[in-house]
Amino acid sequence: MLQLLASPKYMLGVAAGVVSYGLMSFVMTAAPLAMVGCGHSIDHAAWGIQWHVLAMFAPSLVTGKLIARFGKEKVTAAGLIIIGISGAVALTGLDLRHFFISLILLGIGWNFGFIGATAMVAAAHTEAERGRAQGLNDFAVFGTVAALSFFSGALMQASGWHLINLMMFPFIAIVLAPLVWQAARRV
């Protein structure tokens, strides 16, 4: 376990998965509350989440091919960038189109970011380490997702939609910088 924690490649994959999935959960949990709070109907909030879920999984038809062509790190970085763009769109307004476009981009970004990060984790350990590596990764990712889901609703009530979206950028930057550096080294 200590060898895994000391492996930069493994830890970068875990961090990318934590940030991709964590931010998606953080924003997705708050989005319907924000939509209803901005005067949009519950039906519109449900439609927004439905489009978001479709955007999360539809890209899977091509994500593996993109990873094979461009590499795990580049696809993961693209996912984080798209998640950042979703936050930027959300910050530009509170119309339905802002929510819908932001949620669709969030879903696509999650797909590229999380699948790419999962591929990074899978390539960063030996066969003998597989069980521990996957267990540690799942604990980190899904523990973060659970915590951020709870935190999101409380923060949404206390500080609003604007802060939810602003909080994404530092976490994206922290993981994106080493990802871009690693991807550039492989060119």
Side-chain angles (χ1 to χ4, degrees):
M1 192 70 81
L2 292 175
Q3 274 184 300
L4 288 170
L5 294 173
S7 167
K9 284 175 60 176
Y10 175 77
M11 291 306 295
L12 182 56
V14 171
V18 164
V19 169
S20 296
Y21 213 139
L23 289 179
M24 185 282 297
S25 176
F26 182 66
V27 174
M28 183 192 71
T29 302
L33 300 172
M35 291 175 80
V36 171
C38 289
H40 303 297
S41 72
I42 292 173
D43 288 341
H44 285 135
W47 271 101
I49 295 300
Q50 288 172 356
W51 279 103
H52 166 71
V53 171
L54 179 64
M56 285 175 67
F57 297 105
S60 295
L61 297 170
V62 298
T63 306
K65 291 179 178 129
L66 292 173
I67 289 171
R69 181 167 181 184
F70 298 108
K72 303 174 286 296
E73 294 84 2
K74 288 180 182 176
V75 171
T76 305
L80 289 169
I81 290 167
I82 294 168
I83 290 171
I85 293 169
S86 80
V89 169
L91 291 169
T92 63
L94 301 172
D95 294 338
L96 277 177
R97 66 188 162 119
H98 294 106
F99 282 104
F100 277 39
I101 292 168
S102 174
L103 285 168
I104 289 168
L105 289 170
L106 181 66
I108 295 167
W110 170 83
N111 183 283
F112 290 173
F114 185 65
I115 292 175
T118 301
M120 289 172 62
V121 166
H125 58 77
T126 66
E127 186 72 26
E129 296 171 319
R130 182 190 305 180
R132 283 188 288 279
Q134 193 60 51
L136 180 59
N137 180 62
D138 288 352
F139 179 77
V141 169
F142 296 111
T144 301
V145 167
L148 288 178
S149 293
F150 285 116
F151 180 60
S152 177
L155 185 62
M156 177 61 208
Q157 280 301 112
S159 300
W161 180 240
H162 188 77
L163 183 61
I164 293 283
N165 286 285
L166 280 176
M167 287 183 68
M168 294 188 334
F169 297 109
F171 295 101
I172 292 169
I174 287 168
V175 175
L176 191 57
L179 263 177
V180 169
W181 180 75
Q182 190 173 40
R185 283 184 40 204
R186 296 202 176 179
V187 174

